[in-house]
Every structure is written in structure tokens, then in C-alpha cells.
């Protein structure tokens, strides 16, 4: 993968180069910059070599006829098969990289007057890109339909536009002030949902959004993925097993070493089993696995990861979770710098530490992101399935249960009875809004209309459209690329998504949940593996609140004052929320206060303006293991990345 930056105004080469310098971590293997000889647009790329290390694959890429110039970040599944097919049909594809395939497919569609969104819908993978049409003087910007990769842009000057892979890089071209109005959305989601970013003049493309800029105006359309597999339904378990295996095989097709994240869960286990099978078929060793180890045995999935790794004959690397306050805070700051905007999921600290460890071994790593959203893995979905039965209970009984009695129930049951007092719409907002402080305003961003009917289907759709790209996928991209690691997510291949979405939530939630995925991978798992409870990749948030709060501000009184700032809570309410959150029995409240802490840290430390310390050491480490000896070239005209 790579880091992209560019602008349409004349004379912006110095600013684009400054943006590329802010993206070195995303592309430690070289830099390329192209400026239109006719004036105006400049496109720049920092490259992480994963496919085709030859010079012909250096970016930006220029089409054979000179009409199109592409800056590409990502990978396309099955790119070698598709390139071979295009060449057999008489098309020129000038390298064996997925970027070259992408340029050919998109360029052909635009040259022939076709629909570029439809052409891109035929490609499975993960990508963000910028393409300049020299003939029509149009700039196309796009993002993959699942929202795996990100791209930011901003209008500025007299109708110009600039873009970049990260906010910090874009602000090297277009300065922008933080947007305080995103706080309600941030508290509800624990991240800033697209198209907002946390900055007044910067927006991010929504998943699957394709925009065209020309002469200061924008046209927007949506990329709808087209699955190659036709869902028949006669043997959907076998279909899913085959689709996941093919997606894993495509994700393993790289010209660099590949590893995989391995927890004790079903999603990473499915990827590991398929990857081991593919490797053996190719006469290779299974890719190495990586797991994070916690001191607290109740949170540690290392034993189950070892069990599966032994079953699959896989080498396993164990990476220690951060424990000390200074270490936790250091990873938090690095994560916030990578995002550029406030990000309240505390797992970002774990992902930063995990990615630092992975980067010492491989530059490409498979991950199981998307499995819970596609196959019904969250308890909230089971609550939604029960809602229509719960509504038959008299309202007076439901209201009574939502009072003091609810506090005696387990966390999931408590949230169920408290959220199930009104309509299905009320339940949807209660169960999806992550703000656990009633006195603070929060607001969900739904990103379009949800499907009519079943509440569970609505919640799964919402997670696929909003939560997954903004939370888990955003975290994988930022934390991986902070150390030059490309995370690939095979469960979000187009065919896998199409099969999962062809099945209703009711089917997915049969038994203990994830029924379809469970059936597909059961023959490949060791005995008892799928029946063990999932622990989850979550830190001890209440403990971390105390550690980081005391590190930053000392006493509880000072922590509370700094944390709540000018929010409309009384002194008693502030102390109540703090003590309930840090007491270890209210994880939702602890998560909300962690989000507030992150908001304060992001503002007080102005992390959106700083460069990550010790980044040069990381890049030097990555360069030492990069492919080939490349030289850097830049300037006006064609200047491939090194």
C-alpha cells in the first residue's frame, strides 16, 4: 500500500512534497511525484512495495497513451489473473502490479465513455486512488466500497481541490482548524464518521464514493460491488468456504513476506486455517501468526492461539500488550497522530503495539476484520432479534425492570431492558450509541436510509456501512501503515460479502451466532476450538483511565476537572461518573470517559499538528528489509517512485 497526496492548483509541488514527507511511514520504499506539464495538478505517492518490485510499477503510473496518471493505494484481488486476461484480449498492461491493472480498467472505461463506477465495481480488493485525465482535465478520487482504505480531500482557493491519505498530510497543503461541532457524533460512535473528519474544511470520502472534480465543480457517484460468484443457495456453506479460501489465496498473492493476526476468535481462525491450506497447496510453509499477550489471564487469548497454531503447523509470534502508563500513553499519542482526528476506541493502543511487532517480521499481514458485522457476531444483534418478543411484555413491567432492578443484571441484559422501553427506532439508537453519560449530548450518524423491517438487519447494515469502516478498518489502516504494514482483510472480499448478505440475520444468529461461518470452517478447526467463548481484543479500560489520568493530571480531583472541562455536569455528577467508570463494573461508562480523555488529549497536545517521534527509526528499519535498491527521482513530468 501507499500514501497519496496531490492538488489541482498550479505551483503546489513544494506543498505536495511536504505532504509526502508526512506520509513516509505509509510508503517507506520510495517516492514519486508528477506535475502536469500543461500546469495545474500535481500527484504524489509514497510507495510500500507489495507487488512487482520492478521499476515499471513505480508510481504515479501513466497510461501508454499518456492520457491518464494514477496514484493508487491498495491491492486488487486476483490481479495477476485479470492482467493475464487483459493481455490476452490485446490490452497493454505495462507492469504486473495491481495498480497497473487498476489504471487499465479505469482508463478503458473513461476512454470508451463508460461508467467508471460500474467498471470499479467489478474489482474486489481495498483501495483509494486519484486519477488525472489530461484530456478532459478531470480529477477522479475514489474509495473501495467496503471502506477499507481512506482518502481525505478539501476544496480551497478559487475552486481547487487537494487530497491525501491522512489528515496531517492534507493539512500540509490546505491548513484547516479543528471542528468542535463533531463532538456529539464522536461520543456516539467513538470516532468521527464520514464524511466529517474533525476539521472544518476537510472531508473524507464515504465507502464506495467516487467523485469527479472539474473546473471547481464536483460530481459524485457510488461504486456498487459486483460479485463474481452467483449465490444459488443450494449449498451456501460450501459456497462460503470456497469464497473465503479464494479471497485468502488472493490476499496472500504478494511479492513480499505475508503473515496473519491470530487471536482466539473465529474470524482470525478462519483466515489462519485457509491460509495454511493455501500455503501447503503452493508448497510453502504456513504464514507466521501474531498474537498479543496480556498479563491478566482472563483477557489473554494466547493459549487458544497456540492451540490453533500447533494444529495448523504455524509459527507463532507473541507480542506483549502495553502495561505501563508511559507506554500506553505513547501508543495512544501515536495512534491519534495517525488518525489526525479524535478516535475513542482504546484498542488503538493495542493495535499500535501489535503493528510495531508485526513490522519487524512482515510488511503484509492478513486480519479477520469484518467477520462480526457480516456473520452476526455481536450480542447487540441477538438483543435485536429478541426485541419483538420483548414488546409483548406489558409496558409497566418493562419500565419496572429498567429501573434499579436492571443494575443487578449482567451488562448485556441491563442494556437490553434499558434500551427496549420504546419503539424499534428508540432501541436502535440506544443500543448503537456508545455515549454512556446521560448529561452529555451525543448523536448517531446513519449514513443514509436503513432497510425496512427487521431491527437486527438494520443494525447489521448500520455496522457494515458506518461502524466497520470508521472503527475497525480505520484502526487497521492507520496502525498498520504507521509502521509500513499492509493489513489485508479477506473476509471483506466481494464474493464473501455477497454470500453473507444473501442470508438474513435470523439465519446468521441461529444457535450461538455466526452459524453460517461456523459451519463453513468447522471441518478445519481443532476439536473444541469453536465452542470456547470469545474473549475479544479489548484492554482494561477502567484501569487505563486511572493510569493515564494520574500520569497526565495527578489527583482524582484534577483528573475530573480536566476530563469534563466545560461540559454541563454538576460537581456531584462528575464525581459519580468518574467513580462508576473506574470502579470496574460499568464498562460502557468507562468507555465514554476514555473517549472524553482522548478528546482532551487530542486538543491539549495538538496531536494533529505534530510528527510522530522516532518515526525515522521505524522507516530505517523497514528500508533495511525492503525489496531491491531503488533511487529517488522527482520533478516536473514523469518521475516514478523509487
Amino acid at each position: 500500500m501507499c500514501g497519496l497526496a496531490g492538488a489541482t492548483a498550479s505551483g503546489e509541488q513544494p506543498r505536495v512534497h511536504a505532504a509526502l514527507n508526512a506520509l513516509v511511514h505509509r510508503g517507506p520504499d520510495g517516492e514519486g511525484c508528477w506535475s502536469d506539464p500543461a500546469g495545474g495538478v500535481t500527484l504524489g505517492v509514497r510507495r510500500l512495495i507489495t507487488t512487482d518490485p520492478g521499476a515499471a510499477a513505480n508510481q504515479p503510473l501513466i497510461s501508454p497513451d499518456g492520457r491518464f496518471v494514477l496514484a493508487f493505494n491498495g491491492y486488487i484481488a486476483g490481479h495477476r489473473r485479470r492482467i493475464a486476461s487483459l493481455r490476452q484480449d490485446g490490452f497493454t498492461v505495462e507492469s504486473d502490479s495491481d495498480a497497473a491493472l487498476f489504471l487499465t480498467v479505469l482508463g478503458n472505461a473513461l476512454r470508451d465513455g463508460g461508467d467508471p463506477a460500474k467498471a470499479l465495481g467489478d474489482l474486489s480488493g481495498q483501495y483509494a486512488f486519484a486519477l488525472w485525465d489530461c484530456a478532459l482535465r478531470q480529477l477522479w478520487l475514489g474509495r473501495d466500497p467496503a471502506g477499507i482504505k481512506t482518502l481525505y480531500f478539501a476544496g480551497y482557493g478559487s475552486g481547487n481541490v487537494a487530497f491525501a491519505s491522512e489528515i496531517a498530510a492534507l493539512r500540509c497543503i490546505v491548513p484547516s482548524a479543528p471542528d468542535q461541532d463533531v463532538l456529539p457524533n464522536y461520543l456516539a460512535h467513538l470516532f468521527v464518521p464520514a464524511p466529517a473528519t474533525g476539521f472544518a474544511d476537510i472531508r473524507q470520502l464515504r465507502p464506495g464514493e467516487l467523485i469527479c472534480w472539474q473546473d471547481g465543480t464536483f460530481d459524485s457517484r457510488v461504486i456498487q460491488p459486483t460479485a463474481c460468484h452467483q449465490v444459488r443457495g443450494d449449498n451456501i456453506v460450501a459456497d462460503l468456504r470456497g469464497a473465503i479460501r479464494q479471497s485468502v489465496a488472493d490476499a496472500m498473492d504478494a511479492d513480499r513476506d505475508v503473515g496473519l493476526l491470530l487471536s482466539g476468535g473465529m474470524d482470525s481462525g478462519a483466515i489462519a486455517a485457509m491460509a495454511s491450506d493455501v500455503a501447503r497447496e503452493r508448497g510453502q510453509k504456513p504464514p507466521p501468526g501474531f498474537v498479543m499477550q496480556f498479563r491478566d489471564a482472563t483477557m489473554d487469548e494466547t493459549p487458544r492461539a497456540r492451540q490453533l497454531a500447533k494444529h495448523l503447523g504455524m509459527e507463532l509470534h507473541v507480542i506483549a500488550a502495553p502495561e505501563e502508563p508511559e507506554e500506553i500513553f505513547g501508543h495512544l499519542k501515536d495512534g491519534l497522530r495517525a488518525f489526525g482526528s479524535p478516535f475513542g476506541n482504546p484498542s488503538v493502543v493495542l493495535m499500535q503495539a501489535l503493528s510495531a511487532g508485526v513490522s519487524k517480521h512482515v510488511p503484509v499481514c492478513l486480519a479477520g476484520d469484518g467477520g462480526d458485522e457480516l456473520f452476526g457476531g455481536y450480542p447487540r444483534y441477538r438483543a435485536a432479534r429478541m426485541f419483538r418478543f420483548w414488546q409483548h411484555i406489558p409496558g409497566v413491567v418493562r419500565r419496572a425492570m429498567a429501573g434499579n432492578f436492571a443494575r443487578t443484571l449482567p451488562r448485556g441484559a441491563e442494556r437490553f431492558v434499558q434500551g427496549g422501553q420504546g419503539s424499534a427506532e428508540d432501541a436502535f439508537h440506544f443500543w448503537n450509541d456508545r455515549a454512556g453519560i446521560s448529561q452529555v449530548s451525543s448523536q448517531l450518524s446513519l449514513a443514509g436510509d436503513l432497510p425496512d423491517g427487521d431491527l437486527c438487519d438494520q443494525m447489521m447494515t448500520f455496522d457494515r456501512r458506518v461502524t466497520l469502516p470508521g472503527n475497525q478498518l480505520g484502526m487497521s489502516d492507520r496502525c498498520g501503515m504507521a509502521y509500513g504494514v499492509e493489513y489485508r482483510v479477506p473476509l471483506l472480499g466481494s464474493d464473501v460479502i455477497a454470500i453473507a448478505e444473501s442470508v438474513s440475520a435470523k439465519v446468521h444468529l441461529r444457535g450461538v451466532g455466526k452459524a453460517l461461518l461456523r459451519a463453513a470452517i468447522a471441518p478445519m478447526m481443532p476439536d473444541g476450538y469453536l465452542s470456547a467463548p470469545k474473549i475479544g481484543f479489548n484492554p482494561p479500560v477502567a484501569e487505563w483511565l486511572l493510569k493515564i489520568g494520574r500520569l497526565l493530571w495527578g489527583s482524582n480531583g484534577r483528573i475530573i476537572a480536566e476530563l469534563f472541562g466545560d461540559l454541563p455536569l454538576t460537581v456531584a455528577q462528575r464525581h459519580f461518573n468518574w467513580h462508576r467508570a473506574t470502579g470496574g463494573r460499568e464498562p460502557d461508562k468507562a468507555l465514554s470517559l476514555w473517549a472524553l480523555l482522548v478528546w482532551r488529549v487530542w486538543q491539549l497536545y495538538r496531536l494533529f499538528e505534530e510528527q510522530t517521534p522516532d518515526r525515522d527509526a521505524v522507516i530505517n528499519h523497514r528500508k533495511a528489509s525492503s525489496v531491491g535498491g531503488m533511487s529517488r527521482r522527482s520533478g516536473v513530468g514523469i518521475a516514478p517512485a523509487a
Side-chain angles (χ1 to χ4, degrees):
M1 301 205 180
C2 303
L4 313 180
T8 60
S10 297
E12 293 286 38
Q13 292 93 333
R15 291 184 180 181
V16 172
H17 277 292
L20 294 177
N21 287 338
L23 295 172
V24 169
H25 50 283
R26 297 186 72 95
D29 297 328
E31 177 180 307
C33 195
W34 178 90
S35 293
D36 188 354
V41 69
T42 298
L43 304 184
V45 179
R46 286 294 321 188
R47 188 180 178 203
L48 170 66
I49 297 175
T50 58
T51 59
D52 193 348
N58 291 337
Q59 294 193 52
L61 295 179
I62 301 176
S63 62
D65 61 2
R67 175 173 170 178
F68 301 108
V69 184
L70 174 70
F72 177 80
N73 168 30
Y75 93 96
I76 301 300
H79 72 282
R80 298 185 206 273
R81 297 191 302 273
R82 300 201 61 148
I83 288 174
S85 178
L86 284 169
R87 286 172 175 165
Q88 188 174 5
D89 291 340
F91 292 101
T92 299
V93 186
E94 295 194 313
S95 82
D96 293 327
S97 70
D98 32 20
L101 167 66
F102 195 93
L103 174 60
T104 304
V105 170
L106 183 54
N108 287 346
L110 293 171
R111 193 179 289 107
D112 297 340
D115 182 358
K118 184 178 185 304
L120 296 183
D122 292 335
L123 299 178
S124 179
Q126 51 196 66
Y127 57 81
F129 74 92
L131 180 130
W132 176 246
D133 185 334
C134 297
L136 299 182
R137 304 199 65 74
Q138 294 175 333
L139 178 67
W140 292 87
L141 303 174
R143 182 183 181 191
D144 66 80
I148 304 169
K149 304 307 296 178
T150 59
L151 191 63
Y152 298 93
F153 70 99
Y156 73 107
S158 301
N160 286 295
V161 63
F163 64 88
S165 296
E166 294 182 2
I167 289 175
L170 183 53
R171 294 180 75 243
C172 293
I173 306 172
V174 183
S176 181
D179 180 7
Q180 305 294 329
D181 293 338
V182 301
L183 181 59
N185 281 156
Y186 163 70
L187 292 176
H189 294 270
L190 304 183
F191 60 88
V192 181
T197 63
F199 288 87
D201 302 317
I202 296 175
R203 61 164 289 190
Q204 56 179 314
L205 271 72
R206 295 184 176 93
E209 187 174 9
L210 176 66
I211 65 173
C212 177
W213 173 94
Q214 185 176 35
D215 295 329
T217 62
F218 290 93
D219 174 60
S220 179
R221 57 195 78 184
V222 178
I223 303 168
Q224 297 287 356
T226 303
C228 299
H229 179 87
Q230 298 299 315
V231 180
R232 299 184 303 274
D234 51 345
N235 193 344
I236 198 166
V237 171
D239 287 348
L240 177 62
R241 185 183 300 120
I244 294 175
R245 190 183 189 282
Q246 184 61 62
S247 188
V248 169
D250 288 338
M252 293 171 66
D253 187 5
D255 294 320
R256 305 290 296 277
D257 291 336
V258 178
L260 55 87
L261 300 185
L262 184 60
S263 68
M266 190 184 305
D267 304 331
S268 66
I271 301 300
M274 299 289 183
S276 298
D277 189 51
V278 169
R280 289 191 179 91
E281 184 180 85
R282 294 175 178 175
Q284 303 168 348
K285 292 181 179 180
F290 300 88
V291 65
M292 178 153 278
Q293 185 174 46
F294 294 85
R295 290 181 188 172
D296 185 346
T298 64
M299 303 177 60
D300 186 30
E301 294 186 311
T302 304
R304 294 194 68 213
R306 292 189 192 278
Q307 176 195 11
L308 185 57
K310 181 179 179 180
H311 176 76
L312 299 174
M314 176 184 295
E315 177 186 4
L316 184 65
H317 298 275
V318 179
I319 299 169
E323 298 281 351
E324 299 305 317
E326 293 81 4
E327 187 182 11
I328 296 167
F329 187 54
H331 285 306
L332 173 62
K333 289 193 296 181
D334 285 349
L336 293 180
R337 290 189 187 99
F339 268 90
S341 58
F343 185 76
N345 185 342
S347 294
V348 71
V349 173
L350 304 180
M351 278 301 296
Q352 283 287 127
L354 186 60
S355 299
V358 170
S359 70
K360 298 175 182 177
H361 300 275
V362 297
V364 180
C365 190
L366 311 188
D369 292 341
D372 287 319
E373 293 79 6
L374 286 179
F375 299 105
Y378 292 128
R380 290 181 291 115
Y381 302 154
R382 291 192 287 277
R385 287 293 303 159
M386 295 172 56
F387 179 73
R388 59 193 178 98
F389 303 105
W390 175 251
Q391 284 187 308
H392 292 299
I393 297 176
V396 63
V397 177
R398 284 185 284 147
R399 287 190 293 274
M401 292 184 67
N404 291 331
F405 173 71
R407 294 180 185 150
T408 68
L409 299 173
R411 176 193 180 193
E414 178 185 6
R415 284 189 60 80
F416 176 79
V417 298
Q418 288 180 339
Q421 298 307 300
S423 66
E425 182 179 359
D426 295 333
F428 176 93
H429 282 269
F430 185 91
W431 289 334
N432 289 287
D433 190 332
R434 307 307 296 269
I437 307 173
S438 59
Q439 299 86 0
V440 177
S441 175
S442 62
Q443 182 177 359
L444 287 176
S445 176
L446 300 183
D449 295 332
L450 296 173
D452 295 331
D454 186 74
L455 175 60
C456 186
D457 284 321
Q458 291 179 343
M459 291 177 66
M460 291 179 69
T461 299
F462 168 76
D463 278 347
R464 293 168 186 170
R465 289 181 183 175
V466 180
T467 308
L468 178 61
N471 185 21
Q472 294 93 323
L473 297 177
M475 189 162 51
S476 293
D477 173 75
R478 301 321 193 290
C479 297
M481 295 310 296
Y483 295 95
V485 174
E486 173 180 313
Y487 285 118
R488 296 183 175 183
V489 285
L491 292 182
L492 295 178
S494 295
D495 285 351
V496 179
I497 293 175
I499 294 171
E501 291 185 341
S502 72
V503 173
S504 69
K506 179 181 179 181
V507 173
H508 283 302
L509 293 173
R510 285 174 180 165
V512 294
K514 286 190 171 180
L516 180 58
L517 179 61
R518 188 182 301 271
I521 66 170
M524 311 177 77
M525 296 290 110
D527 292 342
Y529 185 83
L530 293 179
S531 61
K534 168 69 174 172
I535 296 176
F537 191 61
N538 298 303
V541 183
E543 178 184 321
W544 280 15
L545 271 173
L546 287 167
K547 285 183 176 180
I548 303 304
R550 289 168 180 168
L551 176 68
L552 296 178
W553 298 304
S555 67
N556 280 2
R558 177 74 186 281
I559 296 171
I560 292 169
E562 293 287 349
L563 201 60
F564 290 98
D566 57 357
L567 293 176
L569 283 80
T570 66
V571 172
Q573 289 169 337
R574 295 174 184 220
H575 282 265
F576 173 82
N577 281 290
W578 171 253
H579 290 298
R580 299 290 290 189
T582 56
R585 300 190 63 181
E586 294 198 30
D588 296 313
K589 197 174 290 295
L591 197 56
S592 289
L593 263 65
W594 177 267
L596 274 180
L597 182 147
V598 167
W599 178 264
R600 300 304 182 197
V601 167
W602 180 70
Q603 292 180 315
L604 292 172
Y605 284 77
R606 301 187 69 82
L607 295 175
F608 44 82
E609 293 183 351
E610 298 178 12
Q611 297 298 313
T612 303
D614 301 325
R615 181 61 50 77
D616 288 342
V618 174
I619 299 308
N620 288 335
H621 162 76
R622 295 292 298 114
K623 282 183 176 180
S625 59
S626 65
V627 175
M630 301 291 197
S631 61
R632 170 176 169 173
R633 292 178 288 170
S634 62
V636 176
I638 303 171

